[in-house]
Amino acid sequence: MQFPDDDNGKMLAAMADAGIDLTKQLDVDFFLVFDDQRDAESATEELAKSKLEGEMELHLNDEVGKWELIVCINMVPQYQAIVEQEVKLNEFAAEFGGATDGWGVMQHQEGDDEFTDDEHECSDDCKH
């Protein structure tokens, strides 16, 4: 696969090189950062009211000292779709004094048989 020579293209190329199937839907995490907790909370509340289909998590990122809103969207990670989503989220975050700060995909997705939790103890409710 060929990708543009920018950060998004390089990330997609690295994912493809790692054997991730970019033709299937994946949980893509978009990161929005805010200096102020109230701004971050307001943005989270407003985004929760929107038609965005995805999960959100807000926490203080101690490494950078900023509030980080992670927006997880299940989508096929195509270059143009990623760029469009980043632009929308950046415009949204800017309304609350924030900005996007990249995106990523967890290596282990649902249905990935290679992932095991060594500390997991099976119970009667386990599905494996």
Side-chain angles (χ1 to χ4, degrees):
M1 290 184 163
Q2 294 291 321
F3 300 101
D5 187 22
D6 62 11
D7 289 341
N8 290 329
K10 289 174 185 174
M11 174 70 93
L12 289 168
M15 290 169 59
D17 290 346
I20 296 173
D21 186 349
L22 301 181
T23 65
K24 293 183 179 178
Q25 288 197 334
L26 300 172
D27 290 333
V28 180
D29 295 330
F30 293 89
F31 302 93
L32 286 66
V33 293
F34 302 85
D35 291 323
D36 183 77
Q37 180 179 358
R38 279 184 260 159
D39 290 340
E41 289 171 347
S42 295
T44 302
E45 289 172 18
E46 195 64 31
L47 198 55
K49 295 179 200 173
S50 75
K51 295 180 181 181
L52 178 77
E53 292 187 25
E55 296 181 24
M56 293 178 287
E57 177 185 331
L58 178 64
H59 68 274
L60 177 62
N61 183 328
D62 291 326
E63 289 182 27
V64 294
K66 294 186 181 217
W67 287 89
E68 186 173 66
L69 173 57
I70 302 171
V71 181
C72 180
I73 301 174
N74 189 265
M75 62 187 292
V76 175
Q78 296 173 332
Y79 178 83
Q80 194 58 40
I82 296 281
V83 170
E84 288 171 8
Q85 193 63 58
E86 271 193 313
V87 168
K88 286 180 193 174
L89 289 171
N90 195 55
E91 289 172 356
F92 170 80
E95 294 176 24
F96 299 89
T100 53
D101 189 31
W103 61 274
V105 174
M106 293 295 290
Q107 184 82 23
H108 301 286
Q109 296 278 328
E110 185 177 329
D112 187 348
D113 293 333
E114 293 179 26
F115 180 70
T116 59
D117 183 352
D118 293 334
E119 296 183 23
H120 172 75
E121 292 185 26
C122 290
S123 69
D124 294 336
D125 297 325
C126 285
K127 305 286 188 235
H128 52 63

